[in-house]
């Protein structure tokens, strides 16, 4: 069964304290792995797409990496404005349509 | 470039009623997907529309239905509302219906069923 699992569920960091979020997946044939940021009560904001193992993408303090079974979102020297829920999602090939399977997310809180 | 918009922002209904939510896709995008997000959970796929036809469906009952219009905007209709339908409803648009196309989300509609 296609599945996405994120860990930890919640993470509390001090400003400047770097860390990593994990997204592991089981899906038949990867057609990309997507990272989103979601603020409370808002829609997910697109961050990155990774398509193949070894690929890396960066945006400001965020860097996403991909292996064959998991992805990491590395946060370097975070600031309070990085506080949000980070979601990862994969589109299974079965069905032939553009359905995303999401993990439950990691709630990140960065304190000054 | 105009992003994905949704209306209304918030909605309160009572059990048994019907509701219609609306979505305008990002400029140039021909595919719209709808998701339901319960509190503390990731979004769950409801269905996808491509060129005015339902193109794929998740594990939701038939009382969840939709439409897509020639300008690619879309509606989600839910009949016979239940308490468990309370959630954030998200619309996402993409350029193409194939797996792997990037999806861009709207701000969502918060539905509360009393």
């Amino acid at each position: 069964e296609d599945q996405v699992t994120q860990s930890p569920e919640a993470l509390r960091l001090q400003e400047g304290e770097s860390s990593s979020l994990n997204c592991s997946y089981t899906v038949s044939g990867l057609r990309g792995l997507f990272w989103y940021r979601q603020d409370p009560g808002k829609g997910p904001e697109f961050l990155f797409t990774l398509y193949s193992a070894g690929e890396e993408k960066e945006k400001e303090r965020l860097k996403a990496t991909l292996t064959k079974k998991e992805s990491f979102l590395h946060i370097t020297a975070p600031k309070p404005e990085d506080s949000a829920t980070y979601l990862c999602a994969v589109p299974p090939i079965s069905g032939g349509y553009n359905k995303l399977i999401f993990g439950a997310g990691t709630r990140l809180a960065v304190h000054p | 470039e105009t992003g994905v918009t949704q209306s209304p922002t918030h909605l309160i209904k009572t059990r048994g009623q019907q509701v219609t939510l609306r979505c305008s896709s990002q400029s140039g995008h021909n595919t719209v997907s709808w998701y339901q997000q319960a509190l503390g959970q990731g979004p769950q796929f409801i269905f996808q529309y491509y060129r005015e036809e339902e193109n794929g469906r998740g594990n939701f009952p038939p009382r969840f239905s939709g439409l897509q219009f020639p300008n690619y905007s879309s509606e989600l209709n839910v009949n016979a509302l239940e308490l468990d339908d309370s959630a954030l409803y998200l619309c996402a648009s993409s350029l193409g219906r194939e797996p792997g196309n990037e999806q861009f989300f709207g701000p969502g509609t918060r539905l509360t069923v009393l």
Side-chain angles (χ1 to χ4, degrees):
Chain A
E1 181 185 353
D2 300 322
Q3 199 167 9
V4 177
T5 304
Q6 292 187 247
S7 63
E9 288 184 14
L11 183 61
R12 178 189 172 112
L13 298 174
Q14 289 297 121
E15 186 172 1
E17 180 187 2
S18 301
S19 187
S20 295
L21 282 51
N22 176 262
C23 170
S24 62
Y25 60 90
T26 54
V27 65
S28 51
L30 187 67
R31 287 289 181 90
L33 184 141
F34 301 86
W35 281 98
Y36 290 87
R37 169 195 169 122
Q38 187 174 28
D39 293 306
K42 304 284 181 64
E45 173 192 346
F46 174 78
L47 292 175
F48 304 110
T49 309
L50 301 166
Y51 287 108
S52 56
E55 190 175 358
E56 298 184 353
K57 294 268 179 78
E58 287 190 62
K59 180 180 180 178
E60 296 180 0
R61 295 175 292 282
L62 300 177
K63 183 168 84 172
T65 62
L66 181 65
T67 71
K68 286 188 177 180
K69 290 298 180 188
E70 58 190 351
S71 177
F72 293 92
L73 185 64
H74 308 277
I75 303 176
T76 302
K79 298 182 178 182
E81 53 261 41
D82 295 321
S83 298
T85 294
Y86 291 86
L87 297 163
C88 73
V90 295
I93 288 182
S94 60
Y97 46 88
N98 199 8
K99 159 188 175 179
L100 288 176
I101 296 177
F102 280 86
T106 294
R107 293 188 312 279
L108 174 65
V110 182
H111 295 269
Chain B
E1 183 179 271
T2 307
V4 179
T5 60
Q6 292 186 243
S7 63
T9 307
H10 297 90
L11 205 49
I12 299 175
K13 292 286 188 179
T14 56
R15 196 170 47 183
Q17 286 189 310
Q18 177 266 343
V19 69
T20 298
L21 310 181
R22 295 179 174 81
C23 169
S24 291
S25 61
Q26 185 166 311
S27 177
H29 285 187
N30 57 16
T31 304
V32 172
S33 301
W34 285 92
Y35 291 81
Q36 180 195 68
Q37 187 176 25
L39 209 57
Q41 301 296 318
Q44 298 284 318
F45 176 78
I46 301 175
F47 44 53
Q48 177 183 120
Y49 277 82
Y50 172 73
R51 293 190 174 181
E52 302 177 59
E53 292 195 359
E54 186 180 295
N55 176 236
R57 190 177 185 92
N59 190 25
F60 281 81
R63 59 190 185 84
F64 285 78
S65 63
L67 285 172
Q68 187 180 34
F69 300 99
N71 66 354
Y72 304 131
S73 66
S74 178
E75 286 182 355
L76 165 66
N77 299 291
V78 187
N79 293 321
L81 284 167
E82 301 178 358
L83 297 180
D84 284 348
D85 295 333
S86 295
L88 182 67
Y89 287 85
L90 297 162
C91 162
S93 74
S94 59
L95 184 60
R97 58 178 172 171
E98 297 77 19
N101 279 289
E102 295 169 347
Q103 296 188 33
F104 297 89
F105 285 82
T109 294
R110 170 69 61 187
L111 173 64
T112 302
V113 183
L114 302 176

